[in-house]
Amino acid sequence: MKVYLLGAGPGDPELLTLKAKRILETADVVVWDYLANDALLDHCREDAEFVYVGKKGGDHTLPQDQINQLLVDKAQEGKVVARLKGGDPYVFGRGAEEAEELIEAGCDFEVVPGVTSAVAGPAYAGIPLTHRDYASSVSFITGHEKPGKEESAHNWDSLAKGTSTLVFFMGMKNLPIIANNLMQHGMASDTPVALVHWGTTCRQRTLVADLATVAAEAERFGFGPPSLIVVGHVVKLRPKLKRFERKPLLGKGIVVTRAREQASSLLAMLQEHGACCNQFPTIQITPMDSYEPLEKAILALAQYDWLIFTSVNGVKYFWKQLLEIGLDTRILGGIKVAAIGPATADALRDRGVMPDFVPPKYVAESVVAGLLELGVKGAKVLLPRAKEAREVLPEELRKAGAEVDIIPVYETLPAGEDADKVVAAMDKGEIHCVTFGSSSTVDNFFSVVQPEVIKRNQPGIKLACIGPITAKTLAGYGFSADIQPEDFTIPALVDALVAEFGSTGE
């Protein structure tokens, strides 16, 4: 029905435009490139058809003529097609060629511009492309012209003698030729050059040299595609303006084993610090087959003195059932509510409930001590929680004289898809830390990843646990926790990771 040529942006998934996001959310078919961040596929419908057509270093998953035909075929099937292209479709992205093929076939199309890497990559590296003191114009140039051309389309004399900032795309293989051409046509050999590798992503690295030495320096430090080549005196501003590469976890590969439903806050904080997050949920949160016991407990809430939530998921599923039976927060009138942990407390506040008790330490002993001071002895307690969970808290409450009813409101099931990818990343040295947010994540992780994988990669891989109980479970597999925060919270865990791995990106 229609093909949208979408600019995926330069790599940072948050630089996707709102319009492109809206189209991804509704498209029937998504055709994406090597330089389009896989995280963007999270915006797509679960039932969408996904076709990867990436091209890497001359290795074409699908040749361009077949990509063109694929777009035509899907459009003629009456599908809405999102063609996701790195950067901007019309800036060295061959988007215009695809558009011409669609027009020739009589297919409707629309282009949605994206943030080009030529602007974003240097900006993240602290290099503005224009500046009143250095350059009042900028030129975007391909470093890899169409094969078979008899002579270069570039006017090297003009490029070398002008005052523009020069940005070369796809030029790393030809870097020595580019540098020599510029110098032979009059550009000073000490002109500063920057190479920005994987710009705007957690893998970003930047190398600064001068025109005479940049090719040798690129080889020395292992700079290859995808890298932008920025030539001009604006590069001098990088020491003053660079910020992104000072993020403390930049380039650090961190595995997040929490369930997808729970991982968002941890992922967001790690990514804000620059980490390369490998989402590898080892548990899956699923609803119960029947909520009849919970419904009965809700209708009998008046008989309870305390309602204790131990997780955000407990709050989520409790409230879902509360609303489904036509009730709301007013039914909690007269009942004291406890939240084990700040995230659980926030989930309650979001629903208009101020917790009566949030323990200073998030272990059973601390919880019970605090509740005893508030009169839990002799009280009747309702505990909505996971079907399978540690019995320490209810046992300690009963020892303290409370009557405790446990109501399962969700299940945690083992997960662990793509274990082979995580193992491969570990063996390549791309993983620096595995994080565990609960004992179940430890157990489920080692059910799909053999302990030997960790052992053969240590000391390169650190193991981080949110608290002592999780660390104790880890010890059962022969490992000690390298990182463990004093406060058993996600923000504290992130702070501990920053303290362990923190750098200034210098």
Side-chain angles (χ1 to χ4, degrees):
M1 181 164 49
K2 190 170 185 177
V3 177
Y4 291 92
L5 304 175
L6 303 182
D12 183 341
E14 292 189 326
L15 294 181
L16 184 73
T17 66
L18 292 173
K19 185 168 186 177
K21 177 178 178 289
R22 175 174 60 80
I23 292 166
L24 285 175
E25 290 170 341
T26 58
D28 302 308
V29 183
V30 181
V31 181
W32 87 101
D33 271 348
Y34 171 61
L35 293 178
N37 193 317
D38 289 354
L40 300 180
L41 302 182
D42 292 340
H43 297 305
C44 303
R45 289 165 27 195
E46 290 186 3
D47 63 342
E49 178 184 355
F50 297 94
V51 184
Y52 176 66
V53 295
K55 305 171 212 176
K56 178 182 177 183
D59 180 14
H60 292 206
T61 303
L62 205 63
Q64 186 63 50
D65 60 340
Q66 293 184 33
I67 295 174
N68 297 343
Q69 190 59 50
L70 172 68
L71 298 178
V72 170
D73 291 344
K74 294 300 180 182
Q76 290 179 340
E77 290 174 10
K79 304 289 181 63
V80 174
V81 183
R83 171 68 171 109
L84 196 59
K85 302 175 72 66
D88 180 274
Y90 282 2
V91 179
F92 301 119
R94 304 186 73 170
E97 296 175 36
E98 294 176 0
E100 288 176 315
E101 291 289 335
L102 292 166
I103 292 170
E104 184 71 21
C107 300
D108 192 13
F109 83 95
E110 182 177 338
V111 64
V112 179
V115 178
T116 175
S117 59
V119 173
Y124 273 47
I127 302 169
L129 297 185
T130 63
H131 189 282
R132 287 190 299 173
D133 295 336
Y134 296 109
S136 56
S137 62
V138 58
S139 298
F140 296 159
I141 309 149
T142 178
H144 179 72
E145 296 188 82
K146 185 176 181 180
K149 292 175 69 172
E150 293 184 3
E151 60 182 45
S152 173
H154 302 329
N155 185 331
W156 290 102
D157 192 62
S158 295
L159 293 174
K161 294 176 181 176
T163 58
S164 286
T165 301
L166 309 180
V167 182
F168 289 88
F169 290 72
M170 303 168 290
M172 290 305 294
K173 288 184 179 180
N174 293 327
L175 180 57
I177 298 172
I178 291 169
N180 285 333
N181 277 334
L182 291 172
M183 288 187 291
Q184 287 174 8
H185 287 82
M187 183 174 282
S189 61
D190 63 353
T191 302
V193 182
L195 306 179
V196 184
H197 181 64
W198 280 113
T200 79
T201 75
C202 65
R203 299 161 67 184
Q204 178 172 311
R205 292 189 301 149
T206 303
L207 170 67
V208 174
D210 57 39
L211 201 57
T213 62
V214 66
E217 290 293 278
E219 184 174 356
R220 176 187 171 198
F221 288 101
F223 272 69
S227 296
L228 290 168
I229 305 166
V230 185
V231 183
H233 292 283
V234 290
V235 174
K236 295 176 181 177
L237 290 163
R238 171 174 156 77
K240 182 188 295 185
L241 299 182
K242 69 174 181 179
R243 289 294 182 273
F244 181 75
E245 288 172 46
R246 288 178 174 159
K247 292 196 172 190
L249 297 180
L250 191 69
K252 298 300 181 184
I254 298 178
V255 175
V256 176
T257 58
R258 299 190 95 202
R260 291 190 185 276
E261 298 87 346
Q262 298 174 307
S264 59
S265 61
L266 176 57
L267 282 170
M269 283 185 270
L270 290 173
Q271 288 167 347
E272 180 61 28
H273 287 300
C276 295
C277 294
N278 293 258
Q279 194 167 3
F280 181 54
T282 59
I283 59 175
Q284 178 183 359
I285 306 298
T286 62
M288 302 295 298
D289 291 333
S290 170
Y291 278 99
E292 185 177 347
L294 177 58
E295 182 178 340
K296 289 180 179 179
I298 290 173
L299 294 174
L301 272 177
Q303 66 180 285
Y304 291 99
D305 303 295
W306 278 93
L307 179 59
I308 301 178
F309 292 98
T310 59
S311 70
V312 172
N313 285 306
V315 176
K316 171 185 171 182
Y317 286 102
F318 181 91
W319 246 263
K320 183 178 180 182
Q321 190 61 26
L322 187 71
L323 297 175
E324 284 188 1
I325 61 178
L327 299 173
D328 58 28
T329 305
R330 289 174 292 181
I331 199 172
L332 302 183
I335 301 172
K336 291 185 173 64
V337 180
I340 313 305
T344 306
D346 287 342
L348 287 168
R349 294 186 189 103
D350 289 343
R351 290 163 173 83
V353 176
M354 296 298 293
D356 296 284
F357 175 64
V358 181
K361 294 286 185 180
Y362 313 116
V363 292
E365 293 78 8
S366 178
V367 174
V368 174
L371 289 172
L372 275 172
E373 292 182 7
L374 296 172
V376 77
K377 184 177 181 180
K380 190 165 184 179
V381 175
L382 180 63
L383 185 59
R385 66 170 199 179
K387 182 179 180 181
E388 300 293 336
R390 297 174 69 250
E391 296 298 325
V392 177
L393 177 59
E395 288 177 357
E396 291 296 320
L397 285 170
R398 288 172 181 138
K399 288 179 184 177
E403 180 183 346
V404 183
D405 288 341
I406 299 171
I407 301 292
V409 295
Y410 65 94
E411 289 189 79
T412 57
L413 302 178
E417 295 180 5
D418 298 328
D420 290 345
K421 290 183 180 179
V422 171
V423 171
M426 288 180 178
D427 288 337
K428 290 178 184 176
E430 296 173 355
I431 302 299
H432 302 89
C433 183
V434 181
T435 62
F436 298 106
S438 65
S439 292
S440 58
T441 61
V442 176
D443 290 330
N444 292 341
F445 178 85
F446 285 110
S447 72
V448 292
V449 176
Q450 294 300 311
E452 177 57 33
V453 174
I454 301 294
K455 290 177 182 178
R456 69 174 178 247
N457 285 292
Q458 286 185 324
I461 297 178
K462 304 286 188 180
L463 303 178
C465 292
I466 197 168
I469 296 170
T470 306
K472 184 178 179 180
T473 305
L474 181 65
Y477 292 91
F479 299 99
S480 59
D482 301 294
I483 302 165
Q484 183 181 312
E486 291 186 9
D487 292 329
F488 315 141
T489 66
I490 292 301
L493 177 61
V494 173
D495 288 344
L497 290 167
V498 169
E500 176 70 25
F501 294 107
S503 68
T504 58
E506 296 297 329

